[in-house]
Amino acid sequence: MAKQERAIATREALVAAAAKVFARLHFETARVADILEESSVTQGAFYFHFPEGKKQVAEVLIQRQDEGFIQIRDELARSGLDGLSAILALSNALGQALSSDPVAQAGIRLVTQSSTTFPGVAKLPDPAWLDAISGFLHRAEGEGNLREGVEIAQAARSVVYLFTGAQVSSFVNDAWSDLPQTLHDVQSFVLRSIAIDGFVPRSPS
């Protein structure tokens, strides 16, 4: 393996290990030693790639979690789903990621636990989430599926707050194992609140 390839592989091993560590430990209690133990990488190699320490690798994880969300959002925007179905599919995709993907788990935990530590990258509600939900709600309005009188900006904020609350409570209760049912309850409430009577959501093909 070439030197550059080894360096990339080492950095990715550290990011993957940090994701597992921050997914299970609070940022303040997690140590660089925990990441080294998880990755089997030397301390020297860690500080070569992340000279600012655990804060720097944590910021990488927050950014990757955001990039993963944007990828899901863009795929659904191209999927041909109606706007309300796309919102439900987005919620389900994020829930699935939180149930199984350490990067998503770590990114969300870092933002909710230590947002003041990462002022440049951590925001709740995330502007990208609000933009995505607003876009799908505007699509739903154009499709005639939005209940009369729904104010889109307010509805978008409410959906994001509901999802954030659902995932936080699910994590606290049982480490996201009940998240699918929690999201189902949230989605049912959202549809009753903003969808026209008789609307039937579609699933991604």
Side-chain angles (χ1 to χ4, degrees):
M1 185 184 294
K3 183 176 181 180
Q4 184 176 6
E5 292 175 336
R6 286 198 301 272
I8 293 172
T10 298
R11 189 177 193 276
E12 289 304 304
L14 287 167
V15 171
K20 293 179 181 178
V21 169
F22 290 129
R24 69 174 186 263
L25 297 176
H26 194 287
F27 174 76
E28 299 299 336
T29 58
R31 304 168 303 156
V32 170
D34 297 316
I35 299 173
L36 300 181
E37 182 178 357
E38 186 71 45
S39 65
S40 299
V41 173
T42 66
Q43 181 173 301
F46 176 88
Y47 283 105
F48 173 80
H49 291 283
F50 302 104
E52 297 175 26
K54 68 175 185 177
K55 181 175 184 290
Q56 187 176 9
V57 70
E59 289 176 342
V60 169
L61 287 166
I62 293 172
Q63 291 168 341
R64 288 200 180 183
Q65 184 266 327
D66 285 343
E67 290 165 1
F69 169 81
I70 291 170
Q71 181 179 351
I72 294 170
R73 177 202 67 188
D74 292 347
E75 289 173 356
L76 287 171
R78 297 190 298 265
S79 69
L81 284 175
D82 62 85
L84 293 182
S85 295
I87 289 173
L88 301 185
L90 182 62
S91 170
N92 288 333
L94 291 173
Q96 183 177 3
L98 281 173
S99 297
S100 59
D101 180 8
V103 171
Q105 294 170 351
I108 288 290
R109 286 202 71 192
L110 287 164
V111 169
T112 56
Q113 291 175 347
S114 308
S115 58
T116 56
T117 307
F118 314 105
V121 294
K123 291 179 172 52
L124 277 178
D126 189 313
W129 293 14
L130 287 174
D131 288 347
I133 301 300
S134 295
F136 288 135
L137 286 173
H138 279 294
R139 179 186 295 185
E141 183 179 46
E143 294 161 341
N145 290 328
L146 207 59
R147 189 179 294 277
E148 186 176 353
V150 170
E151 202 280 306
I152 288 179
Q154 182 186 52
R157 289 193 300 272
S158 298
V159 170
V160 173
Y161 292 146
L162 283 167
F163 175 79
T164 303
Q167 65 86 11
V168 169
S169 65
S170 179
F171 170 76
V172 170
N173 290 335
D174 51 19
W176 292 304
S177 66
D178 73 336
L179 186 56
Q181 181 58 50
T182 303
L183 290 178
H184 175 76
D185 294 340
V186 169
Q187 291 168 359
S188 296
F189 176 79
V190 167
L191 283 183
R192 289 195 302 271
S193 301
I194 66 176
I196 59 171
D197 293 339
F199 172 78
V200 178
R202 296 167 50 205
S203 299
S205 55

